[in-house]
Amino acid sequence: MITKAGLAVIDTLCSGRESTPGELATKTAYSKTHLYDILDELLTAGLLTETRGPNNQRRVRVTHHPVVEAYRNLRSKLSHVDWTELLSPAILRVCWYLDEPRRATEIAARLEITRQGVHNALSPLKHRAMLSPTGPEYGLSEDLSPLLEFARSVVSYEHRSRVREIAPSATIAWCDPKRALVRVQSPDDTAALQSAADWQLTGLARFQEYELQFFLGGEPAFWYTLDEVLTPAEVMCHTLVLDSDSRRVSYSMLLIEKLDIDQDTLTETATWYDLETTVAAMYRSLRGTFDTPDDLSVPLPSESEYMALKEQYGVI
């Protein structure tokens, strides 16, 4: 996650002009020694580029990295706020969840921190009237969408950097501040993630653990999380996030029946992936109503197709 010092450097360089470490030290009030470490981190991450001036003097400027562009947009649209003073890694993680009104307890559970930790992160935003309270819930004010965009750019960048150190072909299919669902494009990257700490096989490739084995057609997906058990509900949601075609919907319905996954449990998990409508339609079909609601964007199997699939895989 970008530190306050790193953000101060990006803020200073947002005009696009080059600066020396000495000039940055004067403008940011950080020591040159500390700045050298920050510059090295930002250069490695691709947020800065470096040239050498007279006497081999370092000169740096920002690149067109998505994080830099999101911050430029934030500064351009909300220039009256001192973002370098306001923002911190904790605030950016909490902001990720403020795309809609949410309770502090809900955010705390997802981030695996205390409710007080969420309130502490929200406090600077509250004091500046940047939140839209709705009863016990909080969301960002409508004009603060650039802040949400920046928070999401930073989180995505963090996950992308982490996975590409292990699997260079990896792309992010879904993420939040603590978790990431990734695709890879090569067998070497698959092998690397299979042996890496904190990465777990997920999606259709994981169904064989539940005695349902399907043709994969490509490299498997992986899930990053720290010290968290990967549940069947998560695996099913990952499968549909990666691709919600009729085949994956049908296979997910088989998993629900085979493991007797409780609808409330699955719906709670699906909420984080915007799959509540899909899950409700799947359970309706499993109870015998095989129709496709007008507001459903994913294809459901017909009754005859699904019954044939159940027989094929021996799901009773």
Side-chain angles (χ1 to χ4, degrees):
M1 186 67 72
I2 292 177
T3 62
K4 290 184 77 70
L7 186 61
V9 169
I10 292 171
D11 182 87
T12 302
L13 295 171
C14 262
S15 66
R17 298 184 181 277
E18 288 185 331
S19 288
T20 66
E23 291 168 342
L24 289 171
T26 300
K27 292 176 182 177
T28 64
Y30 287 99
S31 70
K32 286 177 68 173
T33 301
H34 185 43
L35 276 172
Y36 284 134
D37 292 335
I38 298 301
L39 293 180
D40 287 342
E41 291 174 6
L42 296 176
L43 284 162
T44 300
L47 277 71
L48 299 184
T49 185
E50 181 182 68
T51 58
R52 294 284 176 167
N55 302 318
N56 204 33
Q57 186 179 48
R58 299 176 71 177
R59 302 190 67 85
V60 295
R61 67 169 65 199
V62 289
T63 64
H64 298 301
H65 192 284
V67 169
V68 174
E69 294 305 306
Y71 184 70
R72 278 176 157 161
N73 183 53
L74 175 62
R75 260 194 47 164
S76 171
K77 294 184 176 178
L78 298 161
S79 58
H80 60 286
V81 179
D82 184 352
W83 295 109
T84 61
E85 178 65 27
L86 175 64
L87 295 180
S88 67
I91 287 177
L92 291 174
R93 288 187 179 97
V94 170
C95 279
W96 176 278
Y97 295 107
L98 299 181
D99 58 326
E100 62 180 77
R102 298 187 195 275
R103 292 174 179 264
T105 51
E106 186 181 8
I107 298 172
R110 195 65 180 168
L111 285 174
E112 298 176 349
I113 61 176
T114 65
R115 186 175 61 177
Q116 187 58 48
V118 174
H119 283 299
N120 290 343
L122 288 174
S123 182
L125 303 179
K126 289 180 187 176
H127 293 159
R128 291 166 177 81
M130 291 181 174
L131 298 179
S132 298
T134 307
E137 301 176 329
Y138 291 95
L140 284 176
S141 301
E142 287 186 16
D143 59 348
L144 284 172
S145 59
L147 175 55
L148 178 62
E149 178 191 347
F150 178 60
R152 297 203 158 180
S153 293
V154 170
V155 168
S156 298
Y157 143 75
E158 183 181 28
H159 285 304
R160 191 164 53 248
S161 299
R162 178 185 295 111
V163 68
R164 286 184 178 170
E165 288 181 359
I166 306 168
S169 73
T171 56
I172 305 295
W174 182 94
C175 67
D176 72 9
K178 291 185 67 68
R179 308 158 187 84
L181 175 64
V182 306
R183 302 174 188 262
V184 295
Q185 309 302 319
S186 75
D188 288 345
D189 285 352
T190 293
L193 287 176
Q194 282 179 315
S195 60
D198 305 322
W199 289 94
Q200 303 177 60
L201 199 69
T202 192
L204 280 184
R206 188 75 178 229
F207 278 45
Q208 61 185 330
E209 184 176 304
Y210 313 119
E211 300 178 2
L212 290 169
Q213 188 160 353
F214 308 116
F215 172 70
L216 190 58
E219 298 302 314
F222 289 87
W223 179 241
Y224 169 82
T225 187
L226 295 172
D227 304 320
E228 190 172 292
V229 176
L230 187 56
T231 67
E234 292 276 7
V235 172
M236 201 210 77
C237 288
H238 299 164
T239 300
L240 295 177
V241 165
L242 289 164
D243 193 341
S244 55
D245 60 16
S246 59
R247 181 174 70 104
R248 289 173 183 255
V249 171
S250 299
Y251 291 164
S252 296
M253 289 170 62
L254 285 182
L255 185 65
I256 290 172
E257 285 215 87
K258 185 169 183 61
L259 301 183
D260 192 22
I261 302 175
D262 175 68
Q263 183 172 356
D264 289 341
T265 300
L266 183 53
T267 299
E268 182 179 354
T269 302
T271 298
W272 297 103
Y273 302 92
D274 294 326
L275 291 171
E276 307 99 302
T277 302
T278 299
V279 166
M282 290 164 61
Y283 274 95
R284 191 163 54 248
S285 293
L286 291 172
R287 295 188 180 104
T289 305
F290 282 82
D291 63 343
T292 301
D294 293 337
D295 61 345
L296 190 66
S297 60
V298 300
L300 294 172
S302 67
E303 184 172 8
S304 59
E305 288 171 338
Y306 184 65
M307 293 305 170
L309 194 66
K310 281 184 64 172
E311 184 176 353
Q312 178 184 349
Y313 285 95
V315 176
I316 301 174

